[in-house]
Amino acid sequence: METPEPGPADGEERLVELRPRTRSNPEGAEDRRNSTGSLGGNSNPNITQPAVGSRVEGEGEASTSDSPPTSTTLTVSTAAAQTVAPAAGATVAAASTTVLLSTASVAAKERPKPTQPQSLSTLPTTVPPPPEYQLRVPRVNCPEKVIICLDLSEEMSLPKLESFNGSKTNALNISQKMIEMFVRTKHKIDKRHEFALVVVNDDALWLSGFTSDPRELCSCLYDLETNVCESFNLEDLLNVIRQKIELPMMENVQTVPPPYVVRTVLIYSRHAGQLQFNPSEAVNMLQSPYFFFDVVYLHNGVEEQGDETSWRENFTSFCNLDSKGMCYRFEVSLSGPAIELHNCMAKLLAHPLQRPFQSHASYSLLEGEDPQDIEATV
Amino acid sequence: MNNMSPEVALHRISPELRPLLCNVVRNGRVGLDSTNCLRVTDLKTGCTSLTLGPCCDRFKLHIPYAGETLKWDIIFNARYPELPPDFIFGDDAEFLPEPSELPHLVQWDAGKSECLLQLVKELLQQYHQYQCQRLRESSRLLFEYDSLLEDSSYHHNMEVYAGRKNSWTGEFSARFLLKLPVDFSNIPVYLLKDTALDPGEDVALLSVSFEDAEATQVFPKLYLSPSIEHALGGSSALHIPAFPSGGCLIDYVPQVCQLLTNKVQYVIQGYHKRREYIAAFLSHFGMGVVEYDAEGFTKLTLMIMWKDFCFLVHVDLPLYFPRDQPTLTFQSVYHFTNSGQLYSQVQKSYPYSPRWDGNEMAKRAKAYFKTFIPQFQEGAFANGKL
């Protein structure tokens, strides 16, 4: 049951469970709100408890394998908020939701108070901007449109990964095999799934798709070359994607399953410089409950050295794109075993509406067993 | 013009008669067989050729009945559209319905668009009575009819066609079409929605043809509305036992009903059992779920890790689960076959009992995976291509 808990009493962040605003529910009528009566624009981002049986299986911790440095988290998100302050209320939610996903200590220190009033004043409507909310899309295995984005920067062809037999292989090679495994397996599970292939050099190029035939996609997969690339233009990639897709708009997000969902799987490896990303128009896409942005980051493992951006910062930036906490992000070392890369792709097979939060995912066969398998020695 | 679409017929009929015809072609399901609509052919006019069209006022109506198609001529008069039509009942010259027993003829109201359709229904009822009377020519078949009549389940859900007596052989034949009192209402909705045709009413019809008066050549046939047929597993759902020699309808028909009811129960039970199975598997393996059929619960894919190796297990649940065992397909995420397909291995017989509940099945499956996966892995590395 949802019980509202007004006030930032304990500074603890919780993912908010509110009946979302939709076209059929513009007032968020079924929300139970605190005494201020407002549905948002409220300086208290931590509000109600998650509903029973909902997908919120844990607290609002950042669901990544590495806990990002909190200051960096906030820098990215606030920057995002400030650049879009004049735009519609949705982006305010983006900024504030991003903040919500950070750790409790960060939120306690720096609430988005300053940015919110600024944005509120520019809103044309009298309805306050939508609050942070977690949309519970029904857990239906609707068809997926998967856009596989492959980074073709030079790092992908460096033979540093250790393959099964001990020899060295490169990330592009492994990626090609993984992608083939991925599309063939998804197709085997459900023939309605569709796939597209985008390659990223300095610009993003839509190579193939959407197609439900894995062979069609695989035929474009093996003639690719890498080259030295400039810093990654994420905005360009998102725009290319945005032009090719149409996201479903459902009257009631929580009860009516969408006809399909769109998922981007980005295999990313370049290290040069910081991520170029200005939220602008792509934010609406990122915020849709039917859009997912999964990332596999192949990094060189080098920690921050001097002025050079460490891979962790870039990784964190990716994580922060995930305003809903529903995306999967993996970081894999380029000089490690290739099996790690294979395993990431395997974990990415999971349907975004049915998979657990990444932090809760667990695949081990032996987990939770009592030690009966161990032979007792007398 | 013979075969015409309803739209053409409506276009050509005299405007005053159009509502009556419209009702017939649009809503016209008069008999037990609701999948077949009434058809209109041979649209003609009784007016002179000087009359400006559209002025057609007579046509042939094709009516499915007891597995036959009756072709009745319905004749209006375009100059007096308020009058009820005349009927010619095809070759059934001896069919003389009693007008006083046709309420919609007695109180014919051309202004009520459903009047013609209702009249046709009443005529059909009388036709049925007429056919049943003709069964008197065979005491054996009359007995069949009388015994069905006594049972309220069939009494009002029967169409009888007594065929023409073969003047050469003296043979008399008849066909009974029965709507079976089987309850389909609890079939899970997802099974019913997936048909291209308009399913109409969910119905099961049993047609039994007696080719001879002594009932030695009896041919039963089951008809299911498309969605029901699909829900019960396709054309195999139409298999029914042969009519026992010396048997009679009053014994045979309930047998068929029971068979269908059992199938329906199986399907309903199967759905709930599959749902329970998947729920149990999600609870045991849930954090490794890849995808599952959230509508019909017919399939589930899991990701399992064993010593840093990932494996997929695809579970396919059959329609008649738990009687039929689920198929397990193990797949390696690293290997392909020599022909470039995914490396996988199907297991259809592993420790299993339909009497286990979902939870037990999940536990046993887990135990089975533990014994099988090591050898699967070995096989993948030995025979698969990385």
Side-chain angles (χ1 to χ4, degrees):
Chain A
M1 296 298 290
E2 298 178 28
T3 47
E5 285 181 0
D10 46 4
E12 199 181 73
E13 298 289 4
R14 268 193 269 234
L15 281 169
V16 172
E17 172 63 358
L18 293 173
R19 185 141 157 74
R21 291 170 169 281
T22 60
R23 283 187 296 187
S24 62
N25 177 30
E27 304 300 320
E30 290 178 32
D31 295 333
R32 284 185 241 145
R33 297 308 298 122
N34 54 31
S35 52
T36 64
S38 68
L39 274 161
N42 183 317
S43 57
N44 306 322
N46 49 314
I47 326 221
T48 61
Q49 276 177 351
V52 170
S54 72
R55 282 203 63 186
V56 185
E57 291 148 36
E59 304 308 305
E61 76 257 19
S63 50
T64 57
S65 37
D66 297 305
S67 46
T70 55
S71 53
T72 315
T73 306
L74 199 54
T75 309
V76 173
S77 59
T78 313
Q82 283 167 354
T83 33
V84 301
T91 54
V92 175
S96 42
T97 315
T98 311
V99 172
L100 239 202
L101 285 177
S102 60
T103 55
S105 56
V106 175
K109 277 189 273 181
E110 309 181 52
R111 296 193 186 285
K113 274 182 206 168
T115 58
Q116 279 184 347
Q118 174 191 354
S119 315
L120 265 180
S121 62
T122 62
L123 281 180
T125 64
T126 51
V127 174
E132 303 77 24
Y133 55 77
Q134 191 80 289
L135 289 174
R136 298 282 171 278
V137 182
R139 284 179 133 176
V140 171
N141 57 318
C142 59
E144 286 182 62
K145 291 188 193 266
V146 186
I147 306 166
I148 298 172
C149 303
L150 191 51
D151 183 357
L152 287 182
S153 66
E154 192 193 26
E155 284 89 343
M156 293 290 285
S157 42
L158 300 174
K160 291 158 73 174
L161 283 170
E162 200 179 304
S163 62
F164 286 105
N165 58 16
S167 63
K168 294 289 187 187
T169 181
N170 64 51
L172 180 61
N173 194 354
I174 300 290
S175 298
Q176 287 162 335
K177 291 185 186 158
M178 288 174 0
I179 292 170
E180 182 161 359
M181 182 283 300
F182 180 91
V183 297
R184 283 183 181 275
T185 303
K186 288 300 274 185
H187 181 72
K188 179 198 175 100
I189 292 174
D190 190 334
K191 308 229 180 302
R192 300 171 304 169
H193 291 320
E194 292 180 351
F195 315 99
L197 182 63
V198 174
V199 293
V200 189
N201 291 305
D202 290 311
D203 303 317
L205 181 63
W206 187 281
L207 273 192
S208 167
F210 286 99
T211 175
S212 55
D213 185 352
R215 293 171 300 184
E216 205 179 304
L217 188 127
C218 293
S219 66
C220 303
L221 198 51
Y222 289 99
D223 281 325
L224 303 172
E225 281 177 10
T226 62
N227 46 47
V228 178
C229 297
E230 300 294 317
S231 70
F232 190 78
N233 189 343
L234 180 57
E235 188 172 352
D236 177 52
L237 173 63
L238 291 174
N239 283 334
V240 165
I241 292 172
R242 215 163 49 86
Q243 279 158 23
K244 289 280 196 172
I245 64 166
E246 201 182 301
L247 286 169
M249 290 272 287
M250 306 306 290
E251 287 285 318
N252 189 328
V253 173
Q254 288 181 324
T255 55
V256 183
Y260 57 87
V261 290
V262 179
R263 176 152 71 116
T264 300
V265 175
L266 171 63
I267 301 169
Y268 175 88
S269 73
R270 72 188 70 177
H271 312 114
Q274 200 174 19
L275 215 50
Q276 276 179 41
F277 176 54
N278 245 339
S280 61
E281 294 138 24
V283 156
N284 279 338
M285 179 173 78
L286 290 168
Q287 276 210 307
S288 165
Y290 310 118
F291 183 81
F292 300 84
F293 195 86
D294 295 336
V295 177
V296 178
Y297 190 131
L298 300 160
H299 59 82
N300 56 15
V302 174
E303 294 301 334
E304 186 164 352
Q305 285 175 354
D307 291 333
E308 209 180 281
T309 316
S310 92
W311 67 267
R312 285 192 192 276
E313 287 177 16
N314 281 342
F315 188 60
T316 304
S317 305
F318 279 123
C319 296
N320 292 330
L321 289 176
D322 179 20
S323 56
K324 308 183 294 288
M326 308 284 231
C327 299
Y328 272 28
R329 275 108 22 210
F330 298 95
E331 46 90 6
V332 176
S333 170
L334 266 177
S335 8
I339 192 177
E340 290 294 329
L341 201 48
H342 284 284
N343 290 353
C344 288
M345 206 68 188
K347 291 172 188 172
L348 283 170
L349 284 167
H351 194 291
L353 296 183
Q354 294 185 325
R355 64 190 183 187
F357 287 124
Q358 187 173 13
S359 55
H360 297 153
S362 132
Y363 313 95
S364 173
L365 193 55
L366 297 176
E367 194 163 304
E369 294 296 302
D370 26 294
Q372 279 168 357
D373 299 338
I374 303 170
E375 280 182 13
T377 51
V378 184
Chain B
M1 180 171 308
N2 259 349
N3 240 341
M4 72 177 68
S5 76
E7 305 312 319
V8 174
L10 287 173
H11 187 67
R12 289 179 51 195
I13 194 109
S14 159
E16 291 91 347
L17 300 173
R18 191 171 295 142
L20 293 168
L21 184 62
C22 188
N23 205 268
V24 165
V25 297
R26 293 262 161 82
N27 305 341
R29 284 157 209 247
V30 296
L32 291 180
D33 187 1
S34 54
T35 58
N36 278 318
C37 291
L38 298 176
R39 278 198 310 125
V40 166
T41 63
D42 298 282
L43 207 59
K44 294 189 172 102
T45 181
C47 303
T48 69
S49 52
L50 294 172
T51 318
L52 283 173
C55 58
C56 285
D57 57 6
R58 56 205 63 199
F59 51 89
K60 246 189 193 34
L61 188 64
H62 297 242
I63 305 164
Y65 171 81
E68 299 286 317
T69 303
L70 309 176
K71 299 179 187 59
W72 291 353
D73 286 296
I74 302 183
I75 303 158
F76 284 92
N77 187 335
R79 293 195 304 155
Y80 302 100
E82 68 281 4
L83 295 177
D86 290 322
F87 286 82
I88 300 176
F89 301 107
D91 292 333
D92 290 296
E94 290 163 15
F95 174 49
L96 300 164
E98 175 55 56
S100 60
E101 284 169 25
L102 300 167
H104 276 81
L105 181 63
V106 168
Q107 291 178 353
W108 174 262
D109 180 357
K112 286 205 182 120
S113 59
E114 72 274 13
C115 212
L116 177 61
L117 182 65
Q118 293 305 326
L119 177 54
V120 168
K121 284 185 182 170
E122 284 157 11
L123 281 166
L124 206 63
Q125 278 165 6
Q126 292 239 357
Y127 186 79
H128 170 71
Q129 291 304 321
Y130 159 71
Q131 290 290 347
C132 294
Q133 291 295 318
R134 294 185 62 222
L135 283 177
R136 280 190 297 221
E137 301 211 26
S138 157
S139 59
R140 175 76 172 80
L141 295 177
L142 185 62
F143 159 75
E144 293 283 9
Y145 170 69
D146 283 335
S147 51
L148 284 176
L149 206 58
E150 280 169 13
D151 190 326
S152 57
S153 314
Y154 311 114
H155 183 129
H156 293 293
N157 293 311
M158 205 174 14
E159 282 171 6
V160 173
Y161 184 80
R164 220 141 289 289
K165 198 166 181 177
N166 187 322
S167 48
W168 287 95
T169 64
E171 277 304 334
F172 180 81
S173 62
R175 187 180 303 117
F176 290 77
L177 184 68
L178 294 151
K179 181 167 149 181
L180 298 178
V182 177
D183 181 9
F184 297 114
S185 60
N186 288 325
I187 292 185
V189 168
Y190 89 94
L191 274 172
L192 295 172
K193 70 173 173 70
D194 205 19
T195 48
L197 309 159
D198 170 20
E201 195 193 338
D202 290 329
V203 76
L205 297 172
L206 181 65
S207 145
V208 185
S209 297
F210 292 86
E211 298 291 311
D212 69 316
E214 266 63 53
T216 59
Q217 293 180 62
V218 186
F219 303 101
K221 196 164 159 99
L222 182 64
Y223 295 92
L224 297 172
S225 47
S227 51
I228 297 294
E229 186 179 327
H230 172 78
L232 296 183
S235 58
S236 63
L238 301 173
H239 294 165
I240 47 176
F243 194 86
S245 66
C248 55
L249 284 176
I250 199 63
D251 294 328
Y252 179 73
V253 177
Q255 220 185 325
V256 176
C257 286
Q258 191 58 55
L259 181 68
L260 267 182
T261 303
N262 288 348
K263 283 209 171 105
V264 170
Q265 284 311 310
Y266 260 135
V267 165
I268 293 172
Q269 193 193 44
Y271 168 82
H272 288 292
K273 284 285 185 183
R274 289 196 308 273
R275 188 179 186 151
E276 186 207 332
Y277 178 100
I278 292 205
F281 269 65
L282 287 181
S283 134
H284 281 253
F285 298 97
M287 296 303 149
V289 70
V290 172
E291 239 183 89
Y292 63 94
D293 174 5
E295 200 179 28
F297 306 101
T298 57
K299 54 183 179 171
L300 162 72
T301 296
L302 301 168
M303 240 275 282
I304 292 176
M305 274 192 80
W306 184 73
K307 295 188 179 178
D308 291 336
F309 287 93
C310 286
F311 301 93
L312 295 166
V313 183
H314 305 285
V315 185
D316 285 290
L317 292 156
L319 186 65
Y320 291 113
F321 170 84
R323 185 194 77 185
D324 299 342
Q325 184 171 359
T327 302
L328 302 177
T329 304
F330 293 84
Q331 183 192 325
S332 165
V333 308
Y334 317 102
H335 300 91
F336 294 92
T337 63
N338 286 328
S339 53
Q341 304 300 314
L342 298 164
Y343 184 90
S344 59
Q345 201 174 334
V346 178
Q347 287 293 330
K348 285 189 180 168
S349 52
Y350 49 89
Y352 175 82
S353 165
R355 283 182 294 282
W356 295 334
D357 66 5
N359 210 25
E360 185 66 24
M361 288 191 186
K363 286 206 283 211
R364 302 272 190 148
K366 202 172 204 175
Y368 175 70
F369 295 164
K370 285 201 220 171
T371 60
F372 183 72
I373 279 178
Q375 71 195 67
F376 175 73
Q377 187 203 358
E378 239 179 79
F381 277 94
N383 307 320
K385 227 173 45 141
L386 282 166

